[in-house]
Amino acid sequence: MALKGQGGAIANAFDLRFKNIANTHVVKLGDQLLALWEAAGPHALDPITLETYGLTNLKGVLKDKEPFSAHPRFDPGHHGTRRMVTFGVKAGPKSIVRLMEFATEGKDAGQLISNREDSFNGFSFLHDFAITPNWAVFLQNAISFNPLPFILGQKGAAQCLKSKPNGKGKFLLIPRESGMFAGQTPRTFDAPNGFVFHHLNAWEKDEKVIVESIHYPDFPEVGPEEDFLQMNFDLIPAGILSSCELNLSNQKVETKRFSDQCCEFATVNPLREGLSARFSWMAIAERAAGYAPLQAIKKLDLLNLNQCVWSAAPRGFVSEPLMVPKEGSQAEDEGWILVLVWNGARCGTDLVILRANNLHEEAVVELPIAIPPGLHGSWVSD
Ligand SMILES: [Fe+2]
């Protein structure tokens, strides 16, 4: 990263500073809005005015430069009150995972209420995780990090990640301190071949933990020299929604695919986080199979695989759908889907609001600013 001048390898060589870009997620915790980037601490903002307060150590919870994930999960109340569960990873030949739970309600909102650290062999690139009432579930992909091109200024750090040939990924199950396995050591399970950025959900059934994730056949590398107008989509790995059933009593893992259609950013009703959920909403490619840009939103019934689709194609490109449940509703799919769409026809961003149960369009709000396609966001009820 060259801070001034023309950049390039000579300017960047041996410059190991990172800029905390705070670009991956934004969540509300207590009276602050946190802008998150997984390799460093959160930036705090005023939730109303969006004034930036600056880096925060969350009332002394985080040490200087301690990594703090950009993928917190919100426990809807498995242990009484709602919580934010999150983690930080110190990656190296051994990776140390710190699991943290924060109160989100009342006068204690923002307080750390649970904390543990576990060490695992091997380098870990852990972007996301999932929670159940008793477990925090991670997938340690078979990925290696070669820092040399970064040190020499030839590549960014993320471009130094590579799939390990013949490597085997692992599921890491860390007991939650509020759950029935508190204080026990983590469990590990072999993961299917491939790569996972994002999980949909996880839940428990008898002796099993079921983890639903978007699996890629390989780590999707995109190099800095890539010409996006010349890309052959067939050469890019497609994300496939699958589930892995981890049997705690016999260590067996059973895998099932839900669909062949390329997807990303899958979500369930937030009140079903950590519990079995029947419905999922996700961003999908228009093609029935194979990689392509995300242009549509799909609602998938995970039981019978019925689906409905809302499409922004050919000139619209969708971001992550957010599911906002209707207050007081008993139906899991009653509520709204909020999605930012890059509208290529007018070169602007639309906020599209869909009915969650049938994806009928409720409203299209043409935003006065253009928002580039991004990563994650949150809905907070007033
Ligand atoms: Fe993510």
PDB file of all heavy atoms in Angstrom, residues 156-181:
ATOM      1  N   GLY A 156      -1.271  -7.368  -2.916  1.00  0.00           N
ATOM      2  CA  GLY A 156      -1.910  -7.099  -1.641  1.00  0.00           C
ATOM      3  C   GLY A 156      -1.931  -8.373  -0.809  1.00  0.00           C
ATOM      4  O   GLY A 156      -1.793  -9.480  -1.350  1.00  0.00           O
ATOM      5  N   ALA A 157      -2.128  -8.235   0.517  1.00  0.00           N
ATOM      6  CA  ALA A 157      -2.055  -9.408   1.399  1.00  0.00           C
ATOM      7  C   ALA A 157      -3.088 -10.460   1.001  1.00  0.00           C
ATOM      8  O   ALA A 157      -2.788 -11.661   0.972  1.00  0.00           O
ATOM      9  CB  ALA A 157      -2.250  -8.983   2.848  1.00  0.00           C
ATOM     10  N   ALA A 158      -4.314 -10.026   0.667  1.00  0.00           N
ATOM     11  CA  ALA A 158      -5.365 -11.003   0.347  1.00  0.00           C
ATOM     12  C   ALA A 158      -5.045 -11.769  -0.937  1.00  0.00           C
ATOM     13  O   ALA A 158      -5.520 -12.887  -1.134  1.00  0.00           O
ATOM     14  CB  ALA A 158      -6.710 -10.297   0.218  1.00  0.00           C
ATOM     15  N   GLN A 159      -4.231 -11.170  -1.812  1.00  0.00           N
ATOM     16  CA  GLN A 159      -3.870 -11.858  -3.067  1.00  0.00           C
ATOM     17  C   GLN A 159      -2.775 -12.902  -2.842  1.00  0.00           C
ATOM     18  O   GLN A 159      -2.391 -13.605  -3.780  1.00  0.00           O
ATOM     19  CB  GLN A 159      -3.415 -10.833  -4.101  1.00  0.00           C
ATOM     20  CG  GLN A 159      -4.575  -9.954  -4.564  1.00  0.00           C
ATOM     21  CD  GLN A 159      -4.099  -8.684  -5.245  1.00  0.00           C
ATOM     22  OE1 GLN A 159      -2.955  -8.288  -5.115  1.00  0.00           O
ATOM     23  NE2 GLN A 159      -4.997  -8.064  -5.979  1.00  0.00           N
ATOM     24  N   CYS A 160      -2.273 -13.002  -1.594  1.00  0.00           N
ATOM     25  CA  CYS A 160      -1.242 -14.004  -1.285  1.00  0.00           C
ATOM     26  C   CYS A 160      -1.856 -15.280  -0.711  1.00  0.00           C
ATOM     27  O   CYS A 160      -1.144 -16.175  -0.271  1.00  0.00           O
ATOM     28  CB  CYS A 160      -0.239 -13.433  -0.288  1.00  0.00           C
ATOM     29  SG  CYS A 160       0.640 -12.009  -0.913  1.00  0.00           S
ATOM     30  N   LEU A 161      -3.191 -15.358  -0.681  1.00  0.00           N
ATOM     31  CA  LEU A 161      -3.858 -16.583  -0.232  1.00  0.00           C
ATOM     32  C   LEU A 161      -3.940 -17.561  -1.401  1.00  0.00           C
ATOM     33  O   LEU A 161      -4.224 -17.158  -2.532  1.00  0.00           O
ATOM     34  CB  LEU A 161      -5.272 -16.271   0.267  1.00  0.00           C
ATOM     35  CG  LEU A 161      -5.398 -15.380   1.502  1.00  0.00           C
ATOM     36  CD1 LEU A 161      -6.844 -14.961   1.705  1.00  0.00           C
ATOM     37  CD2 LEU A 161      -4.884 -16.095   2.741  1.00  0.00           C
ATOM     38  N   LYS A 162      -3.692 -18.819  -1.140  1.00  0.00           N
ATOM     39  CA  LYS A 162      -3.747 -19.857  -2.181  1.00  0.00           C
ATOM     40  C   LYS A 162      -4.365 -21.121  -1.601  1.00  0.00           C
ATOM     41  O   LYS A 162      -4.156 -21.433  -0.438  1.00  0.00           O
ATOM     42  CB  LYS A 162      -2.319 -20.234  -2.618  1.00  0.00           C
ATOM     43  CG  LYS A 162      -1.676 -19.305  -3.608  1.00  0.00           C
ATOM     44  CD  LYS A 162      -1.521 -20.020  -4.957  1.00  0.00           C
ATOM     45  CE  LYS A 162      -0.972 -19.110  -6.035  1.00  0.00           C
ATOM     46  NZ  LYS A 162      -1.910 -18.182  -6.585  1.00  0.00           N
ATOM     47  N   SER A 163      -5.087 -21.844  -2.434  1.00  0.00           N
ATOM     48  CA  SER A 163      -5.562 -23.167  -2.026  1.00  0.00           C
ATOM     49  C   SER A 163      -4.374 -24.081  -1.784  1.00  0.00           C
ATOM     50  O   SER A 163      -3.423 -24.071  -2.557  1.00  0.00           O
ATOM     51  CB  SER A 163      -6.368 -23.795  -3.164  1.00  0.00           C
ATOM     52  OG  SER A 163      -7.711 -23.543  -2.997  1.00  0.00           O
ATOM     53  N   LYS A 164      -4.433 -24.870  -0.709  1.00  0.00           N
ATOM     54  CA  LYS A 164      -3.374 -25.854  -0.464  1.00  0.00           C
ATOM     55  C   LYS A 164      -3.650 -27.070  -1.320  1.00  0.00           C
ATOM     56  O   LYS A 164      -4.722 -27.690  -1.160  1.00  0.00           O
ATOM     57  CB  LYS A 164      -3.421 -26.302   0.995  1.00  0.00           C
ATOM     58  CG  LYS A 164      -2.451 -25.614   1.895  1.00  0.00           C
ATOM     59  CD  LYS A 164      -2.438 -26.381   3.208  1.00  0.00           C
ATOM     60  CE  LYS A 164      -2.344 -25.444   4.372  1.00  0.00           C
ATOM     61  NZ  LYS A 164      -2.686 -26.074   5.623  1.00  0.00           N
ATOM     62  N   PRO A 165      -2.750 -27.458  -2.245  1.00  0.00           N
ATOM     63  CA  PRO A 165      -3.032 -28.650  -3.042  1.00  0.00           C
ATOM     64  C   PRO A 165      -3.205 -29.863  -2.122  1.00  0.00           C
ATOM     65  O   PRO A 165      -2.417 -30.055  -1.205  1.00  0.00           O
ATOM     66  CB  PRO A 165      -1.782 -28.803  -3.927  1.00  0.00           C
ATOM     67  CG  PRO A 165      -0.924 -27.613  -3.661  1.00  0.00           C
ATOM     68  CD  PRO A 165      -1.442 -26.879  -2.479  1.00  0.00           C
ATOM     69  N   ASN A 166      -4.251 -30.619  -2.342  1.00  0.00           N
ATOM     70  CA  ASN A 166      -4.581 -31.794  -1.519  1.00  0.00           C
ATOM     71  C   ASN A 166      -4.839 -31.460  -0.052  1.00  0.00           C
ATOM     72  O   ASN A 166      -4.815 -32.343   0.799  1.00  0.00           O
ATOM     73  CB  ASN A 166      -3.479 -32.869  -1.592  1.00  0.00           C
ATOM     74  CG  ASN A 166      -3.154 -33.221  -3.022  1.00  0.00           C
ATOM     75  OD1 ASN A 166      -4.058 -33.374  -3.838  1.00  0.00           O
ATOM     76  ND2 ASN A 166      -1.876 -33.298  -3.352  1.00  0.00           N
ATOM     77  N   GLY A 167      -5.040 -30.187   0.237  1.00  0.00           N
ATOM     78  CA  GLY A 167      -5.315 -29.801   1.631  1.00  0.00           C
ATOM     79  C   GLY A 167      -6.721 -30.204   2.039  1.00  0.00           C
ATOM     80  O   GLY A 167      -7.597 -30.381   1.193  1.00  0.00           O
ATOM     81  N   LYS A 168      -6.928 -30.359   3.312  1.00  0.00           N
ATOM     82  CA  LYS A 168      -8.242 -30.769   3.816  1.00  0.00           C
ATOM     83  C   LYS A 168      -8.734 -29.693   4.789  1.00  0.00           C
ATOM     84  O   LYS A 168      -8.040 -29.377   5.755  1.00  0.00           O
ATOM     85  CB  LYS A 168      -8.074 -32.121   4.525  1.00  0.00           C
ATOM     86  CG  LYS A 168      -9.345 -32.874   4.704  1.00  0.00           C
ATOM     87  CD  LYS A 168      -9.692 -33.720   3.474  1.00  0.00           C
ATOM     88  CE  LYS A 168     -11.115 -34.235   3.614  1.00  0.00           C
ATOM     89  NZ  LYS A 168     -11.960 -34.108   2.472  1.00  0.00           N
ATOM     90  N   GLY A 169      -9.911 -29.169   4.530  1.00  0.00           N
ATOM     91  CA  GLY A 169     -10.489 -28.194   5.449  1.00  0.00           C
ATOM     92  C   GLY A 169     -11.030 -28.874   6.699  1.00  0.00           C
ATOM     93  O   GLY A 169     -11.241 -30.089   6.725  1.00  0.00           O
ATOM     94  N   LYS A 170     -11.233 -28.073   7.741  1.00  0.00           N
ATOM     95  CA  LYS A 170     -11.749 -28.621   9.012  1.00  0.00           C
ATOM     96  C   LYS A 170     -12.873 -27.740   9.528  1.00  0.00           C
ATOM     97  O   LYS A 170     -12.765 -26.510   9.494  1.00  0.00           O
ATOM     98  CB  LYS A 170     -10.643 -28.588  10.084  1.00  0.00           C
ATOM     99  CG  LYS A 170      -9.493 -29.514   9.826  1.00  0.00           C
ATOM    100  CD  LYS A 170      -9.574 -30.707  10.752  1.00  0.00           C
ATOM    101  CE  LYS A 170      -8.451 -31.682  10.493  1.00  0.00           C
ATOM    102  NZ  LYS A 170      -8.888 -33.002  10.153  1.00  0.00           N
ATOM    103  N   PHE A 171     -13.918 -28.370  10.030  1.00  0.00           N
ATOM    104  CA  PHE A 171     -14.884 -27.641  10.835  1.00  0.00           C
ATOM    105  C   PHE A 171     -14.328 -27.562  12.261  1.00  0.00           C
ATOM    106  O   PHE A 171     -13.842 -28.566  12.793  1.00  0.00           O
ATOM    107  CB  PHE A 171     -16.221 -28.372  10.889  1.00  0.00           C
ATOM    108  CG  PHE A 171     -17.042 -28.232   9.639  1.00  0.00           C
ATOM    109  CD1 PHE A 171     -17.156 -29.288   8.746  1.00  0.00           C
ATOM    110  CD2 PHE A 171     -17.688 -27.043   9.354  1.00  0.00           C
ATOM    111  CE1 PHE A 171     -17.909 -29.163   7.582  1.00  0.00           C
ATOM    112  CE2 PHE A 171     -18.451 -26.906   8.194  1.00  0.00           C
ATOM    113  CZ  PHE A 171     -18.559 -27.964   7.308  1.00  0.00           C
ATOM    114  N   LEU A 172     -14.397 -26.382  12.853  1.00  0.00           N
ATOM    115  CA  LEU A 172     -13.976 -26.189  14.242  1.00  0.00           C
ATOM    116  C   LEU A 172     -15.224 -25.806  15.034  1.00  0.00           C
ATOM    117  O   LEU A 172     -15.878 -24.811  14.721  1.00  0.00           O
ATOM    118  CB  LEU A 172     -12.954 -25.050  14.347  1.00  0.00           C
ATOM    119  CG  LEU A 172     -11.802 -25.043  13.328  1.00  0.00           C
ATOM    120  CD1 LEU A 172     -10.974 -23.772  13.477  1.00  0.00           C
ATOM    121  CD2 LEU A 172     -10.921 -26.279  13.510  1.00  0.00           C
ATOM    122  N   LEU A 173     -15.563 -26.615  16.011  1.00  0.00           N
ATOM    123  CA  LEU A 173     -16.733 -26.322  16.849  1.00  0.00           C
ATOM    124  C   LEU A 173     -16.248 -25.881  18.224  1.00  0.00           C
ATOM    125  O   LEU A 173     -15.667 -26.687  18.960  1.00  0.00           O
ATOM    126  CB  LEU A 173     -17.620 -27.563  16.992  1.00  0.00           C
ATOM    127  CG  LEU A 173     -18.767 -27.711  15.977  1.00  0.00           C
ATOM    128  CD1 LEU A 173     -18.252 -27.731  14.561  1.00  0.00           C
ATOM    129  CD2 LEU A 173     -19.595 -28.936  16.285  1.00  0.00           C
ATOM    130  N   ILE A 174     -16.460 -24.617  18.548  1.00  0.00           N
ATOM    131  CA  ILE A 174     -16.034 -24.095  19.853  1.00  0.00           C
ATOM    132  C   ILE A 174     -17.273 -23.985  20.745  1.00  0.00           C
ATOM    133  O   ILE A 174     -18.263 -23.365  20.354  1.00  0.00           O
ATOM    134  CB  ILE A 174     -15.364 -22.710  19.690  1.00  0.00           C
ATOM    135  CG1 ILE A 174     -14.150 -22.834  18.759  1.00  0.00           C
ATOM    136  CG2 ILE A 174     -14.961 -22.140  21.044  1.00  0.00           C
ATOM    137  CD1 ILE A 174     -13.426 -21.519  18.509  1.00  0.00           C
ATOM    138  N   PRO A 175     -17.221 -24.601  21.935  1.00  0.00           N
ATOM    139  CA  PRO A 175     -18.384 -24.515  22.822  1.00  0.00           C
ATOM    140  C   PRO A 175     -18.629 -23.074  23.267  1.00  0.00           C
ATOM    141  O   PRO A 175     -17.687 -22.373  23.627  1.00  0.00           O
ATOM    142  CB  PRO A 175     -17.996 -25.372  24.032  1.00  0.00           C
ATOM    143  CG  PRO A 175     -16.860 -26.212  23.577  1.00  0.00           C
ATOM    144  CD  PRO A 175     -16.150 -25.427  22.511  1.00  0.00           C
ATOM    145  N   ARG A 176     -19.884 -22.652  23.232  1.00  0.00           N
ATOM    146  CA  ARG A 176     -20.229 -21.329  23.776  1.00  0.00           C
ATOM    147  C   ARG A 176     -20.264 -21.419  25.295  1.00  0.00           C
ATOM    148  O   ARG A 176     -20.739 -22.411  25.859  1.00  0.00           O
ATOM    149  CB  ARG A 176     -21.585 -20.870  23.222  1.00  0.00           C
ATOM    150  CG  ARG A 176     -21.499 -20.503  21.743  1.00  0.00           C
ATOM    151  CD  ARG A 176     -22.822 -20.024  21.207  1.00  0.00           C
ATOM    152  NE  ARG A 176     -23.280 -18.816  21.878  1.00  0.00           N
ATOM    153  CZ  ARG A 176     -24.498 -18.277  21.705  1.00  0.00           C
ATOM    154  NH1 ARG A 176     -25.363 -18.863  20.889  1.00  0.00           N
ATOM    155  NH2 ARG A 176     -24.842 -17.178  22.333  1.00  0.00           N
ATOM    156  N   GLU A 177     -19.770 -20.372  25.948  1.00  0.00           N
ATOM    157  CA  GLU A 177     -19.653 -20.393  27.405  1.00  0.00           C
ATOM    158  C   GLU A 177     -21.016 -20.384  28.090  1.00  0.00           C
ATOM    159  O   GLU A 177     -21.131 -20.696  29.270  1.00  0.00           O
ATOM    160  CB  GLU A 177     -18.798 -19.215  27.877  1.00  0.00           C
ATOM    161  CG  GLU A 177     -17.343 -19.342  27.466  1.00  0.00           C
ATOM    162  CD  GLU A 177     -16.663 -20.580  28.026  1.00  0.00           C
ATOM    163  OE1 GLU A 177     -16.336 -20.600  29.209  1.00  0.00           O
ATOM    164  OE2 GLU A 177     -16.479 -21.551  27.267  1.00  0.00           O
ATOM    165  N   SER A 178     -22.060 -20.008  27.334  1.00  0.00           N
ATOM    166  CA  SER A 178     -23.407 -20.015  27.917  1.00  0.00           C
ATOM    167  C   SER A 178     -24.131 -21.326  27.621  1.00  0.00           C
ATOM    168  O   SER A 178     -25.251 -21.530  28.075  1.00  0.00           O
ATOM    169  CB  SER A 178     -24.196 -18.849  27.328  1.00  0.00           C
ATOM    170  OG  SER A 178     -23.875 -18.693  25.957  1.00  0.00           O
ATOM    171  N   GLY A 179     -23.492 -22.226  26.859  1.00  0.00           N
ATOM    172  CA  GLY A 179     -24.156 -23.454  26.435  1.00  0.00           C
ATOM    173  C   GLY A 179     -23.826 -24.640  27.316  1.00  0.00           C
ATOM    174  O   GLY A 179     -23.100 -24.521  28.306  1.00  0.00           O
ATOM    175  N   MET A 180     -24.354 -25.817  26.911  1.00  0.00           N
ATOM    176  CA  MET A 180     -24.207 -26.994  27.765  1.00  0.00           C
ATOM    177  C   MET A 180     -22.819 -27.652  27.677  1.00  0.00           C
ATOM    178  O   MET A 180     -22.524 -28.568  28.444  1.00  0.00           O
ATOM    179  CB  MET A 180     -25.307 -28.019  27.458  1.00  0.00           C
ATOM    180  CG  MET A 180     -25.297 -28.554  26.055  1.00  0.00           C
ATOM    181  SD  MET A 180     -26.831 -29.429  25.657  1.00  0.00           S
ATOM    182  CE  MET A 180     -26.572 -30.923  26.562  1.00  0.00           C
ATOM    183  N   PHE A 181     -21.954 -27.178  26.753  1.00  0.00           N
ATOM    184  CA  PHE A 181     -20.602 -27.748  26.670  1.00  0.00           C
ATOM    185  C   PHE A 181     -19.553 -26.749  27.143  1.00  0.00           C
ATOM    186  O   PHE A 181     -18.364 -26.869  26.828  1.00  0.00           O
ATOM    187  CB  PHE A 181     -20.301 -28.180  25.228  1.00  0.00           C
ATOM    188  CG  PHE A 181     -21.335 -29.117  24.661  1.00  0.00           C
ATOM    189  CD1 PHE A 181     -22.260 -28.676  23.722  1.00  0.00           C
ATOM    190  CD2 PHE A 181     -21.401 -30.436  25.088  1.00  0.00           C
ATOM    191  CE1 PHE A 181     -23.224 -29.533  23.209  1.00  0.00           C
ATOM    192  CE2 PHE A 181     -22.369 -31.302  24.589  1.00  0.00           C
ATOM    193  CZ  PHE A 181     -23.279 -30.850  23.651  1.00  0.00           C
TER     194      PHE A 181
END
